[in-house]
Amino acid sequence: NAGVTQTPKFRVLKTGQSMTLLCAQDMNHEYMYWYRQDPGMGLRLIHYSVGEGTTAKGEVPDGYNVSRLKKQNFLLGLESAAPSQTSVYFCASSYLGSSGYTFGSGTRLTVV
Amino acid sequence: AQRVTQPEKLLSVFKGAPVELKCNYSYSGSPELFWYVQYSRQRLQLLLRHISRESIKGFTADLNKGETSFHLKKPFAQEEDSAMYYCALSGGSNYKLTFGKGTLLTVNP
């Protein structure tokens, strides 16, 4: 039982490059979320999804796009990376209820 | 709008001392409150949720609606408790979690 798996774990990008972060969960959760974690800022919600085929903006969506074509996968895209997007990105999923989230292990992204 | 405030960025205690990590929230409805813990460079793990009223690893937290607080307490801190602690609030039907900025707890030997 893998839970929530994020790939890649680490990545260095040059300014202007694009990339996609993959989040996969095997718990049949309806809800999935992308957060970024920055020192002194806590975790801030980028985008989220309440089910297959749905996406919605969170607190800091600018510069990111997402897709949820399959229930188990939630993709986060950076079309043109900027140094301000250097961060640790966490994916999470939750069941339709109040059980809290299951987090992935994070992706450490550096944009130079 | 929902907001979570953790007033202390850093908290340092000695082993065996009591510890209290403060959390205050702002939400107009009936919130669900959580504490998450993140050990060094690991993923966040759910520590407590107020609806279950449980004690995990010796930690407890009580929701005080009058003071809009959900402080995390442990009577005797251990070195392995050193970690980043996040208070989080869930409100509304989409189960979004709003996190505080976190408190880094260091337990000294």
Side-chain angles (χ1 to χ4, degrees):
Chain A
N1 190 349
V4 178
T5 303
Q6 290 183 234
T7 53
K9 294 191 185 305
F10 303 93
R11 185 73 185 269
V12 178
L13 284 180
K14 293 183 179 180
T15 297
Q17 287 185 319
S18 63
M19 77 164 294
T20 300
L21 284 69
L22 172 63
C23 177
Q25 53 96 1
D26 61 2
M27 298 170 288
N28 203 35
H29 284 174
E30 288 291 337
Y31 292 75
M32 296 187 75
Y33 310 84
W34 275 107
Y35 284 85
R36 59 178 290 174
Q37 183 184 41
D38 302 289
M41 301 297 291
L43 280 85
R44 293 179 291 170
L45 182 64
I46 305 171
H47 286 281
Y48 65 100
S49 169
V50 300
E52 181 179 315
T54 74
T55 62
K57 294 180 179 180
E59 183 185 353
V60 288
D62 294 342
Y64 304 95
N65 57 75
V66 288
S67 64
R68 183 118 182 253
L69 299 180
K70 293 183 179 180
K71 186 177 183 178
Q72 63 267 34
N73 295 336
F74 194 30
L75 278 63
L76 178 70
L78 286 73
E79 290 186 349
S80 180
S84 61
Q85 294 177 304
T86 293
S87 187
V88 180
Y89 292 86
F90 284 100
C91 176
S93 70
S94 70
Y95 184 63
L96 185 60
S98 304
S99 57
Y101 287 9
T102 300
F103 278 87
S105 58
T107 296
R108 188 170 295 274
L109 175 66
T110 302
V111 182
V112 297
Chain B
Q2 50 196 61
R3 186 167 56 208
V4 177
T5 302
Q6 293 179 250
E8 303 139 328
K9 285 187 180 180
L10 304 170
L11 183 61
S12 182
V13 300
F14 286 102
K15 178 182 174 181
V19 62
E20 181 180 48
L21 290 84
K22 291 183 168 50
C23 172
N24 291 91
Y25 67 90
S26 173
Y27 183 65
S28 57
S30 183
E32 294 183 59
L33 276 298
F34 303 84
W35 277 99
Y36 282 83
V37 60
Q38 185 181 31
Y39 300 101
S40 181
R41 292 187 169 239
Q42 295 185 22
R43 71 183 71 198
L44 279 81
Q45 304 171 38
L46 178 64
L47 183 61
L48 284 175
R49 46 192 173 122
H50 89 271
I51 58 171
S52 59
R53 299 186 63 81
E54 57 199 342
S55 174
I56 303 294
K57 299 184 179 182
F59 285 97
T60 59
D62 290 317
L63 178 61
N64 186 323
K65 291 187 177 181
E67 297 183 357
T68 60
S69 68
F70 188 57
H71 302 328
L72 184 68
K73 301 177 183 179
K74 186 170 182 177
F76 307 103
Q78 302 299 315
E79 291 181 65
E80 55 265 30
D81 296 328
S82 296
M84 180 69 84
Y85 291 81
Y86 290 99
C87 182
L89 178 155
S90 175
S93 60
N94 53 26
Y95 302 105
K96 288 188 296 181
L97 274 180
T98 298
F99 287 85
K101 294 184 177 181
T103 298
L104 180 62
L105 173 66
T106 302
V107 181
N108 301 298

